[in-house]
Structures are given as C-alpha cells and as structure tokens.
Amino acid sequence: MSAPLLRLQGVRVAYGDGRTVLDGVDLDVAAGDRLAIGGVNGAGKSTLLRTMMGLQRLSAGRVWAYGRERLRPRDFHEVRLRTGLLFQTPEDQLFCPTVREDVAFGPRNQGLGPADADARCDETLAALGLQALASRATHRLSGGEARLVALATVLAMRPEVLLLDEPLLGLDEENERRLVGILADLPQAMVVVGHERHLERTLGLRAWRLAAGRLHPA
C-alpha cells in the first residue's frame, strides 16, 4: 500500500486567546481519495486545510507531505507547488490585473518560462470553458466567474491534491452545476470543506465531521 500524499498526526492548533481549534486530528489523504469535511461554523475546517499547506502554526503534532515530514516553513514550499488550495473567497486568490496573468502566475512560480506558462494558462482556461475571460480585469468578474477563475489558477499548477474550501459558496444554480461538473471530472485527490450533501453524492466524497477539535466519520 502506497504512503498517503498528505498526513496529519495528532495535530493540535490553539489560538492566542487560548481557544483550541484542532485537538489531536489524524487524517490521511491518499491518491484518489475524495473526502468531505463538515462541521458547524468556527469548527476549524478552514484551519485544517491551512494546516496541510503549512499556513497555520501547530501547537503540537506532525504534518507529512509527499513522503517527508514538514517541520519548518521552508519545508512547505514544495507542498504548495504540488497541492492546490481553493480559498473560500475568490478575492483572496485573485490579485493580478487580468485573468490571464492570474492563471499564468502559478505555473511561472513553478519555474515555467513565459511562453510555457501562457500555454498552460490557455490550456486550463480552454478546459474550463473560460477562454472568453482571458483578458478580463479580475475586479470586473461576477461572483461565479471569479470562483471559476480562482479554480483555474489552482488547476493550472497541475496539483496532485486539491483542497477546496466551501467551493459552492455564493454560486447561482448555473455556476454551481458547472463547477460541480468540472470537479467530478478531475482525477486529483480532493478534500472538500462544505455542507452540501448533493456535492458529496455527485463527487463520491467520504464524509467526515469536525467537532470539538476532532475528526469523526459522518
């Protein structure tokens, strides 16, 4: 049996006000896994995703990624190149003037030259049916367009694992159906934070619930 791509062991996260958000979380994400993480608001679901990316300081526990324990901030540079995190709000993800620049940014950060990064951008936008938005200013996108473009910025990096934080939040019915269809066709392992049962069914997600700082099968 192959080692998991991502592994959390006994992870504890406490904030400065003394509140413990994660309290001994164990989680493995293997190739092909599709997991849903539910829980009430404030349960720590987004914190869990940030922990996998090294964006959250641990109070205790261990994080393994792609065969290595990740101990220091610099250890997570490779993790962020191989793992795609879709933020809850697209505005946190889109920061370049145009859609094309935003989607090409990740591949360039991976070391691709301008021509190859632009080609990757065009390929990704075409696969998602977003070619018409390539030259659009990101601040002029609708909410649904912004979320789809944010997903394009993640997929352009060809990640091995997708971490999706409330991917359907605020979408109208048409864009929700479109996004779910895109996700259903992706081969990557994915961890999806959200409450939508139809998303769990369509994507074949194995459901977990985060409560009192711990993960439980739902």
Side-chain angles (χ1 to χ4, degrees):
M1 184 175 180
S2 60
L5 300 174
L6 302 176
R7 167 171 283 176
L8 304 182
Q9 292 181 308
V11 164
R12 182 175 181 271
V13 172
Y15 291 155
D17 59 6
R19 184 167 53 101
T20 298
V21 181
L22 304 179
D23 190 14
V25 168
D26 296 314
L27 180 65
D28 284 358
V29 182
D33 273 350
R34 294 192 163 200
L35 310 178
I37 308 293
V40 300
N41 289 339
K45 303 183 298 294
S46 296
T47 299
L48 181 67
L49 298 188
R50 291 198 303 270
T51 299
M52 295 181 192
M53 297 288 283
L55 301 174
Q56 182 69 53
R57 183 188 295 272
L58 300 185
S59 302
R62 306 168 77 181
V63 177
W64 294 75
Y66 308 107
R68 288 178 48 209
E69 185 173 7
R70 308 292 170 157
L71 300 170
R72 306 166 189 81
R74 66 175 178 269
D75 293 342
F76 283 91
H77 177 70
E78 179 196 7
V79 179
R80 292 169 195 157
L81 294 178
R82 299 175 66 177
T83 308
L85 173 60
L86 183 69
F87 289 96
Q88 192 173 116
T89 54
E91 294 77 12
D92 292 336
Q93 199 127 21
L94 305 177
F95 50 84
C96 293
T98 68
V99 167
R100 177 182 294 280
E101 290 170 282
D102 249 321
V103 177
F105 179 86
R108 289 193 181 194
N109 199 41
Q110 289 177 309
L112 270 64
D116 288 337
D118 286 346
R120 178 81 65 83
C121 167
D122 291 340
E123 180 182 336
T124 304
L125 291 176
L128 301 186
L130 302 175
Q131 307 98 309
L133 300 180
S135 60
R136 183 86 65 85
T138 52
H139 70 275
R140 293 189 178 276
L141 298 171
S142 70
E145 289 170 340
R147 190 166 294 278
L148 289 167
V149 170
L151 179 61
T153 68
V154 171
L155 295 181
M157 298 180 69
R158 306 274 175 86
E160 296 171 54
V161 180
L162 290 170
L163 308 179
L164 310 175
D165 195 351
E166 301 278 5
L168 304 186
L169 185 66
L171 291 183
D172 58 35
E173 185 175 344
E174 179 181 352
N175 279 313
E176 179 177 308
R177 186 168 55 248
R178 186 176 179 186
L179 182 57
V180 171
I182 290 168
L183 295 178
D185 288 337
L186 294 175
Q188 287 95 337
M190 59 181 70
V191 180
V192 183
V193 162
H195 307 275
E196 297 85 358
R197 291 294 177 87
H198 70 283
L199 184 64
E200 293 179 14
R201 291 193 297 269
T202 303
L203 300 185
L205 303 174
R206 183 157 43 95
W208 294 79
R209 182 171 181 81
L210 187 59
R214 302 233 176 183
L215 272 176
H216 311 273

